[in-house]
Amino acid sequence: MNKDLYCLKMKVNVIIILLSWLQKSTAETHSITLQIIGSKGGDLPDFMESWIVDDVPIYHYNTCIGLETMVPALDWLNNSEGHALWQEIRDITELDKTLMSDAFKLACQHANVTGTEKSDTPQIYQAHGQCALNSDGTIEASLTHAFNGHDHVNFDVRTQTWTAAVSSTFFYKRQREANHEDSVTLAHLYGYRCIEMLQTILKYAPWIKERKVPQVHLIEKYALTSSKIDVTCHVTGFYPRDIRVEWLGAGGLPLEEGVRSGEVLPNGDGTYQLRMRLTITEEAQGTQSYSCLVIHSSVSENITVTWVPQSDSDVWRVIAIVAGLGFMLILAVIFCSTIHRKRSIV
């Protein structure tokens, strides 16, 4: 096959893949996530519960210090609907506290562990619940439990049934399914009421849906022991979390060799960052251009930043400056030692 034709087909395939990903990432999907933790031993609180909407924490409860917070409260609590929702979240948290205490005690008994505050090894029981509303109107819901880092049981919202992750957790499955009213309440909460609560929160807290455009910076670093160059594409300040970053080489095709990606990390202000590094060998330098491609739902078109290497003159200028400063430092040390020797003689 003709090389140019092959490259053209590859570029078309890449464009199709990237456009399909962009279409998927721009689809409006919103969710509520509940993270519930019960524990004994160590310095951990007995109970914690957090409510998170689209990666944004809105409510947290901690029995260790009796802390209860909703962030930011004034945005959507200054109306009857928002205030009623806050009270409902608090009521659910109180119920979860009781359920978590019972589940924790049963798990400790069957695992033959003490689960006491005096124990050096903390025992931790976790529940993770979520409901999500997709742009096409479909709903997803899930609830999973874990004990000491291992899967415990799962609840199927659609069938209102519990599944034991391992044979040793059948006792908990049987106990929860014995209470039919409990299963119906859970299915209603995650499969229906959770979505209503999500829509109310998004109605009165539009800041949760605000998209933020990523900032892209290229940082180059020359290796001290070789002629390789590391160029890092630092993408930061974006929201939501989903993002695609690629290093492009000859013909605008994605590179795989020499590319190393980090993880998407939180910035602490509700936005995220990602670093993707490209190592360029001495043989590859100057043979093609390199660009960092960023695709994010906050912008309709992709962001492309091309790396322009330092010219040789710039590199040698830096080397000359460093060498000059080093030479001046050596002269200063010699001069000071000479003065000190003369004073010692006197």
Side-chain angles (χ1 to χ4, degrees):
M1 180 183 295
N2 182 278
K3 183 177 180 181
D4 293 338
L5 180 58
Y6 172 78
C7 290
L8 178 60
K9 287 187 175 183
M10 286 294 293
K11 290 182 70 172
V12 171
N13 290 336
V14 170
I15 292 173
I16 292 174
I17 293 173
L18 295 181
L19 287 178
S20 64
W21 184 91
L22 179 60
Q23 183 178 9
K24 177 182 178 182
S25 66
T26 55
E28 290 286 338
T29 298
H30 299 289
S31 65
I32 290 181
T33 300
L34 273 71
Q35 295 178 347
I36 309 169
I37 300 176
S39 63
K40 289 290 185 181
D43 297 324
L44 298 175
D46 291 344
F47 177 82
M48 292 186 294
E49 180 162 331
S50 297
W51 289 60
I52 303 170
V53 177
D54 291 358
D55 295 334
V56 179
I58 65 164
Y59 179 86
H60 180 73
Y61 181 84
N62 185 332
T63 56
C64 186
I65 54 178
L67 178 65
E68 179 184 53
T69 56
M70 184 168 281
V71 185
L74 297 180
D75 278 13
W76 56 286
L77 293 179
N78 286 340
N79 58 81
S80 58
E81 190 175 9
H83 187 76
L85 178 57
W86 187 9
Q87 186 58 52
E88 184 176 0
I89 292 176
R90 298 174 70 184
D91 293 340
I92 291 174
T93 300
E94 284 298 317
L95 176 60
D96 288 341
K97 190 190 304 183
T98 301
L99 293 173
M100 176 59 70
S101 177
D102 294 340
F104 179 83
K105 290 177 182 177
L106 281 173
C108 287
Q109 290 173 3
H110 282 77
N112 197 26
V113 294
T114 59
T116 63
E117 295 180 0
K118 296 181 180 179
S119 174
D120 293 333
T121 303
Q123 309 297 325
I124 301 174
Y125 195 102
Q126 298 168 278
H128 184 277
Q130 186 178 68
C131 72
L133 178 61
N134 299 319
S135 57
D136 58 3
T138 57
I139 295 173
E140 300 176 15
S142 63
L143 175 61
T144 61
H145 287 204
F147 181 60
N148 286 341
H150 300 286
D151 291 341
H152 198 61
V153 290
N154 303 316
F155 181 70
D156 190 313
V157 175
R158 184 179 57 84
T159 62
Q160 301 180 13
T161 57
W162 289 87
T163 301
V166 291
S167 59
S168 60
T169 61
F170 271 111
F171 74 93
Y172 191 75
K173 161 187 164 63
R174 288 193 295 267
Q175 176 164 323
R176 293 301 294 261
E177 288 185 339
N179 188 343
H180 179 67
E181 183 180 351
D182 173 58
S183 297
V184 172
T185 301
L186 273 179
H188 176 78
L189 173 62
Y190 285 99
Y192 178 75
R193 181 56 189 149
C194 182
I195 298 299
E196 287 188 331
M197 298 169 76
L198 174 62
Q199 292 171 328
T200 301
I201 293 171
L202 294 176
K203 175 182 177 181
Y204 292 108
W207 48 269
I208 290 178
K209 298 184 291 184
E210 183 181 353
R211 301 180 184 274
K212 296 186 178 180
V213 179
Q215 304 169 27
V216 184
H217 307 282
L218 300 184
I219 307 169
E220 67 179 46
K221 180 180 179 182
Y222 290 83
L224 297 177
T225 59
S226 68
S227 299
K228 293 181 179 180
I229 303 175
D230 286 336
V231 185
T232 299
C233 184
H234 183 209
V235 186
T236 187
F238 57 88
Y239 181 84
R241 187 178 187 277
D242 289 340
I243 195 168
R244 188 181 184 98
V245 180
E246 298 276 1
W247 270 107
L248 307 180
L253 299 177
L255 297 171
E256 294 184 1
E257 185 176 356
V259 176
R260 183 178 179 182
S261 177
E263 297 181 357
V264 177
L265 301 174
N267 280 325
D269 59 357
T271 65
Y272 295 88
Q273 64 167 301
L274 171 67
R275 292 174 181 260
M276 182 167 287
R277 187 176 66 190
L278 171 65
T279 299
I280 307 173
T281 62
E282 182 179 9
E283 298 77 15
Q285 295 172 27
T287 62
Q288 58 180 306
S289 63
Y290 299 94
S291 300
C292 181
L293 172 70
V294 179
I295 301 178
H296 190 254
S297 59
S298 62
V299 289
S300 57
E301 298 181 356
N302 59 50
I303 301 173
T304 304
V305 180
T306 301
W307 174 61
V308 179
Q310 272 189 327
S311 65
D312 292 341
S313 59
D314 290 336
V315 175
W316 285 111
R317 187 180 299 114
V318 172
I319 294 175
I321 292 174
V322 174
L325 291 174
F327 181 71
M328 293 176 63
L329 179 61
I330 292 173
L331 290 179
V333 171
I334 294 174
F335 176 78
C336 290
S337 62
T338 302
I339 295 297
H340 178 73
R341 189 162 49 249
K342 286 184 177 180
R343 287 179 177 175
S344 299
I345 294 172
V346 174

